[in-house]
Every structure is written in C-alpha cells, then in structure tokens.
Amino acid sequence: PLAITRSSWRKRGPLYTEYGIQIRCVQKDQTGNTMVLHYLTDGTCSLSFIYNKEQFFMPVMFILKALYDTTDQHIYKELTKDQETNTFLKDCVATMLRQAQDKEVTTQAKILNYIGERFRVKLGLPEWYNNVSAAKFLIRKCICVHLDSYLDKFNLIVFMIKKLYALALEKCAVESADNPMNQELLLGGHFYLMVLKEKLEVWLTSLKYALEKDIKKNPSKFTLNSTSILKNMAHCFNLTHQMGYLLATGTLRSKSGLGLMQVAGYSVVADKLNYYRYLSHFRCVHRGAFFAQMRTTSVRKLLPEAWGFLCPVHTPDGAPCGLLNHLAAMCEVVNILPHTAHLPRLLCSLGMTPWDCPTSASVTSCYPVLLDGRVLGYVEEQLADDLVKRLRIMKVEQLEQ
C-alpha cells in the first residue's frame, strides 16, 4: 500500500482530503483492481473501489465488520494498538464505529445484508442470490482480490488505516507511484488473456440471454440440449472478431476496464528499419498513454531504483521521452511466480513475530512485515537490520530453508 497525496482527491466529495493509501491488487490471472483508502476531514476513512468502470465509496468500518465477525472492542483495539496516548486516533476510530451503529448494522450478517441490498442492482447477479451472497461476491471481486482469506483482507485493511492516519499526522513519508520499485510490468500475453477471459464471460452471458429468450417464446416445447445450445450460439457475437480488433487497432473495448488507465495504444506496428530497431520493440516498456498528456515531468524522471532494470540512455526524444524506456541488457522479465510458501516460517526463524502472537516489544517500535500484500507479522527495530542482511545473503547465495 502506497501513501500518496493528490490534490484531485479533494474533488471527490465535500469532506475528502488529499491524503490516501492506494493499493493495486492483482489476481493469479493478472486481473487487477485498485483500491484507495481516503482520509476525510472529520477524521473518518472511506474506501473507494471500481466495479465495471463505476467508482463506489464505502465507510471502511463497514468493510472491516463484513470481513471479520468480531466485536467493536476487538476492532478498536486492533486499530489503536500501542496508541493509547493518541487521543485523536482513538476518537476517530470511535466515530467510525458509531457510523455502523447508527445504521443498526452491528453483526457481520447484518452488514453483509446491508451491503448486498444496496449493491445487487449493480452486480447483475441471478435472482437466487440473496443479499449476503451478493455482498460476498462484491468482496471477492473488488476488495483485496489478491487475498483469499477474509482474515488476511481484514489485517491488510487495518494496516492501511494505521498507515493513513500516520500519513495524515505527518508521521509517515509520502511515497511515489512513479518509482519503479512500486510498479509492475504488464506483459502482452497477460493482457491478451485478461481480455479473452472477459470476452468469454460476456459471450456466455449473451448465450444465457439468448436461451432465456428462446425459453420464453415456447416454454412447453423447449428442451435444453446440444442442438438448442448450438442454435442460440449463432445469435452470440463472434469472439474472434473482438480479439482481432484488439490486435489490429490496439483499442480496448471492455465493460470493466480491467483496472487499466487507458483504452487505446495497446498494439504498435513493429518497424523493421534494421534488426536492432526491430528487436527494441520487444524490450521496450511504456508507462502508459495516460501519462503522455500530463504536464508534470515527475513521471519522466530517471530514478535510482531503475538502476540495472531500465536503460538510462535508450529513450526517444519528443513526447515519449522518459515514458518509453527499454530494459537493461542484463534484465529479464520473470514470468514464473516464485515459491513463497516457506517464507513465513523462514522469517519467523530469523526473528519475525507472527501478527497473532504477542510481541516482546511495543508495536510502535516494530516494523510490519508484508509478503505479496499479506500481513505476516512484526520485526523489532533492533533485529530488522540483521534480518535484512541475512535475507540478502540467502538471496545471493540462493539458499532456502
């Protein structure tokens, strides 16, 4: 989660400020979703997420209570752990808890029913889905989609809330989304599969509507078999034409937006002026067409974190300068997810305390440990340097425990 300040966030509502915690969550199939936790002038927090290109805002306490069936006291203690002297934080947490009580939604079941009742119109779910199932569908699709466990999602949002208040109280430095260490590469194959997955979903939905229409015409004579399915498939759109249009024009036609910031420019014609020019197309990294229209130069700067990953010289002149970069000679794109199941146990052996265990020191003097967007535990300040050094040695020597 990145601590970011943007003046444009003030325009989202009368109480919104420029402070926010932004996180982009990516599923295993590379489908992504961006969440922003906003700080409001009344001391409360609001979580924004996007579903089918529509942005929604929800009090973050509603999300916490929907994720974990616990008492208000437990949530209060989690958010104010080792912050007993911070009266401002305690008052803000109490205010957010009262927001849920004012709506008379005090349990997880009531919260899920409350959320599902208001969102089911936008979700387009079947009639047999009740409000609770609709709310769970929304959480699965929009809230911390990279995590499967509701408890892990709860812990991550608690961490984001703590970081947001630290940012608002100027106890946390502002981070840069332009830093390469906070970015990821979107490969052509991943993008193609993301689009194909969504097109298949839309195609199946159109087939469902065609079958329902056929049933309503003559319900007594209709039989669901391969013949009727093939007959109705003829009324569905051609999937290959949709994918061919994407490759030919580079324009994305998507109902959800796939969590991306642009709709055009996804394909270019490979110039073959010479072999090196042709090969450079397969080594280039573009920041995105959205940033080409920005008047600020911060997105074009060469930062120290790009050392060894991006070539500091190979970028064109003119409009794409600094936006269209190329990979360094020794840099390779990793397309295989590394095995990380053993890392929590390894970190515990190096001095990390799991999040659900009591720490010997105060939490304020510990560093939180996150792995792939999941809160693992805490490391005491005096042990952090040694832990980092040992991890780097094990990485260089390719040691695993």
Side-chain angles (χ1 to χ4, degrees):
L2 300 180
I4 298 176
T5 58
R6 285 183 183 165
S7 57
S8 59
W9 284 344
R10 294 179 179 176
K11 302 176 183 178
R12 293 189 170 181
L15 298 177
Y16 283 77
T17 65
E18 68 273 20
Y19 301 110
I21 303 294
Q22 179 175 301
I23 181 171
R24 175 173 166 79
C25 309
V26 181
Q27 294 176 323
K28 292 181 180 179
D29 61 357
Q30 300 302 311
T31 304
N33 194 2
T34 302
M35 299 191 313
V36 181
L37 185 64
H38 294 281
Y39 176 75
L40 277 60
T41 54
D42 60 356
T44 60
C45 302
S46 176
L47 187 71
S48 71
F49 54 89
I50 297 175
Y51 182 76
N52 284 352
K53 295 183 180 179
E54 286 190 77
Q55 192 166 36
F56 299 96
F57 298 88
M58 188 184 301
V60 71
M61 196 56 64
F62 284 32
I63 299 292
L64 287 179
K65 294 175 76 68
L67 290 173
Y68 193 34
D69 190 11
T70 185
T71 61
D72 289 356
Q73 184 182 14
H74 177 259
I75 296 176
Y76 180 83
K77 287 183 177 180
E78 285 291 321
L79 292 173
T80 60
K81 187 180 293 183
D82 286 332
Q83 295 283 341
E84 285 76 11
T85 58
N86 192 341
T87 56
F88 173 74
L89 175 61
K90 293 167 70 174
D91 291 342
C92 292
V93 174
T95 302
M96 290 191 292
L97 287 169
R98 289 192 198 99
Q99 286 181 342
Q101 292 177 353
D102 292 342
K103 298 292 184 180
E104 298 182 354
V105 282
T106 53
T107 63
Q108 184 184 28
K110 290 182 179 179
I111 283 281
L112 290 173
N113 185 74
Y114 181 86
I115 295 174
E117 184 180 1
R118 282 150 182 79
F119 276 92
R120 65 177 305 128
V121 180
K122 294 289 186 180
L123 300 179
L125 296 173
E127 296 178 358
W128 60 81
Y129 268 66
N130 56 22
N131 293 335
V132 175
S133 300
K136 290 181 178 179
F137 175 84
L138 179 72
I139 291 173
R140 187 173 72 252
K141 288 290 185 180
C142 300
I143 307 299
C144 303
V145 297
H146 64 292
L147 298 173
D148 297 326
S149 169
Y150 276 20
L151 186 56
D152 289 337
K153 295 184 181 187
F154 176 86
N155 291 331
L156 178 60
I157 294 179
V158 167
F159 172 77
M160 291 171 62
I161 294 172
K162 290 181 178 180
K163 189 170 183 178
L164 178 60
Y165 281 112
L167 175 66
L169 296 174
E170 297 183 351
K171 295 181 180 179
C172 172
V174 178
E175 296 170 291
S176 173
D178 302 321
N179 199 316
M181 74 176 184
N182 297 326
Q183 298 171 357
E184 61 180 358
L185 288 181
L186 177 63
L187 302 183
H190 291 160
F191 173 69
Y192 188 87
L193 289 177
M194 287 162 56
V195 177
L196 181 60
K197 172 193 167 187
E198 182 176 286
K199 295 298 181 184
L200 284 171
E201 184 180 352
V202 175
W203 185 86
L204 288 172
T205 304
S206 65
L207 177 60
K208 183 191 77 169
Y209 289 145
L211 287 170
E212 289 177 347
K213 186 177 180 181
D214 201 5
I215 292 171
K216 290 179 181 179
K217 282 183 179 179
N218 200 345
S220 59
K221 295 183 179 180
F222 180 83
T223 304
L224 184 62
N225 51 30
S226 58
T227 305
S228 61
I229 293 176
L230 289 172
K231 173 188 171 184
N232 285 280
M233 283 172 62
H235 301 296
C236 301
F237 64 88
N238 193 321
L239 193 64
T240 57
H241 290 173
Q242 299 278 334
M243 302 307 296
Y245 178 82
L246 171 68
L247 295 176
T249 64
T251 303
L252 174 64
R253 291 177 175 176
S254 170
K255 67 170 186 176
S256 66
L258 300 175
L260 303 174
M261 301 180 68
Q262 65 188 66
V263 295
Y266 285 107
S267 67
V268 294
V269 178
D271 299 329
K272 203 168 184 181
L273 302 176
N274 53 61
Y275 284 110
Y276 285 109
R277 169 61 178 155
Y278 181 71
L279 290 174
S280 69
H281 284 292
F282 303 96
R283 302 283 294 174
C284 67
V285 178
H286 200 287
R287 182 68 196 277
F290 171 80
F291 298 95
Q293 303 170 1
M294 296 181 65
R295 297 182 180 180
T296 58
T297 58
S298 59
V299 296
R300 303 173 185 266
K301 290 182 179 178
L302 180 67
L303 298 175
E305 286 79 5
W307 172 265
F309 296 97
L310 297 178
C311 178
V313 179
H314 193 180
T315 184
D317 294 330
C321 181
L323 297 178
L324 180 61
N325 296 297
H326 293 76
L327 297 177
M330 301 301 293
C331 181
E332 295 182 6
V333 178
V334 179
N335 198 22
I336 300 174
L337 292 176
H339 180 65
T340 59
H342 66 288
L343 289 181
R345 179 176 55 84
L346 173 63
L347 290 170
C348 289
S349 66
L350 295 177
M352 184 192 78
T353 303
W355 66 269
D356 55 350
C357 295
T359 57
S360 57
S362 173
V363 176
T364 54
S365 62
C366 297
Y367 293 110
V369 180
L370 279 78
L371 174 64
D372 294 335
R374 182 164 66 98
V375 180
L376 295 182
Y378 301 93
V379 175
E380 296 180 22
E381 192 172 355
Q382 61 269 23
L383 300 176
D385 288 339
D386 183 57
L387 185 143
V388 171
K389 289 178 182 177
R390 293 174 69 179
L391 281 178
R392 286 177 173 169
I393 292 172
M394 296 176 70
K395 176 185 175 182
V396 172
E397 297 184 358
Q398 297 182 352
L399 298 176
E400 292 187 5
Q401 293 184 3

